[in-house]
Amino acid sequence: MRSADHAMYQAKSAGRRSIKFYVSSMQHAASKKLNIQRLIQDALNHERLDLAFQPQVDSGGRIVGVEALLRVGATDGWQPSTTEIMVVAEESSLVLELGDWVLERACECLVRWTEDGLGIERLAVNVSPSQFHRADYAERVLEVLARTGANAGCLEMEITEKVLMSGFEDAVEKMRTLKGHGIRFSIDDFGTGYSSLSNLRRLPLDRIKIDQSFTRDAVDDANDAAIVQTILSMAESMGLECVAEGVENEATFEALKDHACQVFQGYYFARPVAESEIVTILRRGSVPLGSAGKGIHR
C-alpha cells in the first residue's frame, strides 16, 4: 500500500491521464522530501533561519541594489540546496511562514541600513506563488512596512512567471495596490517560464531579471546569446531595466555590456554574504570587478 501510495503521488505530479509504476527511487525521494520538511519546520521553531545578501551593480561596479536570499540552517551536517528547500516549501504551507519571515527581516535590515546612512537604492526579496496569491497578501506587506518603519520605495518584490500563470488578474491587482505605495517589482528567472507579451505589458513592472541559465553560456552558445539579446531589446522597448544573473567571468560581463545590459549580479562581483559583510560593501559603494568576493555559496 505504501508503494502504491508513492506511485500515486508521482502520477498526480505528472498530470492528468498519467500512469506511474513504483520504483525504489520514489521512496527515497519521498523520504528526502519529508526530511527537508522537518528541517524547515525545525529551523522555524528554533530560529535557525538567516538572510544572505548579494549586491547588484552597474557596468562600473557601483552598487545599485541588493538581493536578500534565504538560508536555512541544519544541525546534523546534512544541508539540502536552497532550491530543494524552496521546492519542498512551496508544496506545503511552510513557504508562507518562510515568506513572512523573509519579508519581516528584510524590512528590519532596510531600517537599520537607512539609520546607518547607507543609502541603499533597493532591496529585493523573492515572493513565492503561494505567498503572492494569498487573498490578504498586499495587506500583509503593508502591515510589515508600517510595523517596521521600512521605506516602501526601497523594497523590490521579485516574482516569477509562475505567479502570473496561476492567476494573472489577481497578480495585476495586488501589484498595482503595492505599486501605489512605492514598492517596485521585477520578474525573476525571466525566459524560463511562459509569459504572454500582451499580458506582460499590462504589469506595473520595473525590471526583468535574465535567468543565469542564459547568461552563463551567452558567450559560447549562439542560441543563449540570441535569447539574451532579444530579452534586452524587448525590455528596452518597454522601458524596463534588465538585471543579468549568474555573471561569473569577465567575458560574460563584457558581452552583456556590449548588448547594453544595465545591471549585473553574480560571482564575478561578489558571492552572497552575511549582513555584516554586505554592510561593509555598501559603505564602500562599489565592488572591484572580478573580485569574486568570499561568502556564502548560493
Side-chain angles (χ1 to χ4, degrees):
M1 290 299 293
R2 183 170 59 249
S3 299
D5 206 39
H6 288 314
M8 179 188 70
Y9 280 111
Q10 289 291 322
K12 284 184 176 181
S13 298
R16 298 179 62 184
R17 297 186 178 89
S18 176
I19 296 173
K20 294 288 182 181
F21 290 93
Y22 172 79
V23 292
S24 58
S25 60
M26 290 181 181
Q27 186 168 352
H28 173 73
S31 297
K32 183 176 183 180
K33 178 180 175 180
L34 181 59
N35 287 333
I36 293 175
Q37 286 179 335
R38 288 172 175 165
L39 173 68
I40 298 171
Q41 190 63 67
D42 189 61
L44 283 163
N45 292 340
H46 297 93
E47 299 183 357
R48 282 200 296 273
L49 299 175
D50 202 0
L51 288 180
F53 302 91
Q54 189 171 34
Q56 300 167 340
V57 305
D58 64 14
S59 58
R62 185 179 71 88
I63 298 172
V64 296
V66 173
E67 181 179 0
L69 302 162
L70 176 67
R71 296 293 182 254
V72 177
T75 57
D76 58 2
W78 175 68
Q79 182 65 57
S81 70
T82 302
T83 299
E84 289 175 318
I85 289 173
M86 294 314 298
V87 168
V88 171
E90 180 65 30
E91 294 174 354
S92 68
S93 61
L94 291 171
V95 74
L96 303 179
E97 293 183 67
L98 290 177
D100 288 344
W101 187 91
V102 168
L103 180 61
E104 188 92 22
R105 296 299 176 274
C107 286
E108 290 173 356
C109 287
L110 266 179
V111 172
R112 283 195 296 273
W113 299 349
T114 301
E115 290 175 347
D116 288 344
L118 296 178
I120 183 171
E121 293 184 26
R122 65 180 74 189
L123 177 61
V125 297
N126 293 277
V127 183
S128 75
S130 298
Q131 185 185 3
F132 194 82
H133 286 302
R134 270 176 156 174
D136 62 345
Y137 179 69
E139 290 77 11
R140 283 174 173 268
V141 172
L142 296 177
E143 285 174 6
V144 172
L145 287 169
R147 184 167 59 251
T148 59
N151 181 358
C154 295
L155 186 64
E156 179 176 276
M157 301 291 192
E158 291 191 2
I159 62 174
T160 63
E161 292 171 278
K162 187 176 179 181
V163 169
L164 308 178
M165 293 165 61
S166 57
F168 182 78
E169 296 301 333
D170 175 61
V172 171
E173 182 179 351
K174 287 188 174 75
M175 289 173 71
R176 287 177 176 166
T177 297
L178 294 172
K179 185 82 170 179
H181 290 268
I183 294 172
R184 289 179 276 193
F185 284 92
S186 64
I187 291 189
D188 195 18
D189 302 334
F190 187 79
T192 59
Y194 169 77
S195 290
S196 165
L197 295 183
S198 62
N199 283 339
L200 194 64
R201 61 186 175 84
R202 293 176 53 199
L203 297 171
L205 288 172
D206 298 279
R207 303 204 294 189
I208 288 176
K209 298 191 74 176
I210 307 173
D211 187 66
Q212 57 189 356
S213 62
F214 301 126
T215 58
R216 281 178 176 167
D217 296 324
V219 175
D220 302 317
D221 190 306
N223 290 327
D224 283 347
I227 290 171
V228 169
Q229 188 169 2
T230 299
I231 294 173
L232 286 166
S233 298
M234 180 201 70
E236 182 181 10
S237 67
M238 296 176 66
L240 300 175
E241 191 174 62
C242 260
V243 182
E245 294 184 294
V247 181
E248 298 188 348
N249 54 62
E250 183 179 7
T252 301
F253 176 52
E254 293 298 332
L256 289 164
K257 279 202 303 181
D258 289 343
H259 292 308
C261 186
Q262 304 102 324
V263 182
F264 311 86
Q265 181 177 346
Y267 288 0
Y268 182 63
F269 313 98
R271 297 177 182 272
V273 296
E275 183 182 356
S276 60
E277 295 177 73
I278 198 64
V279 166
T280 300
I281 294 173
L282 289 172
R283 289 194 190 285
R284 290 200 304 263
S286 64
V287 296
L289 303 181
S291 60
K294 296 178 181 179
I296 307 168
H297 286 254
R298 184 170 185 175

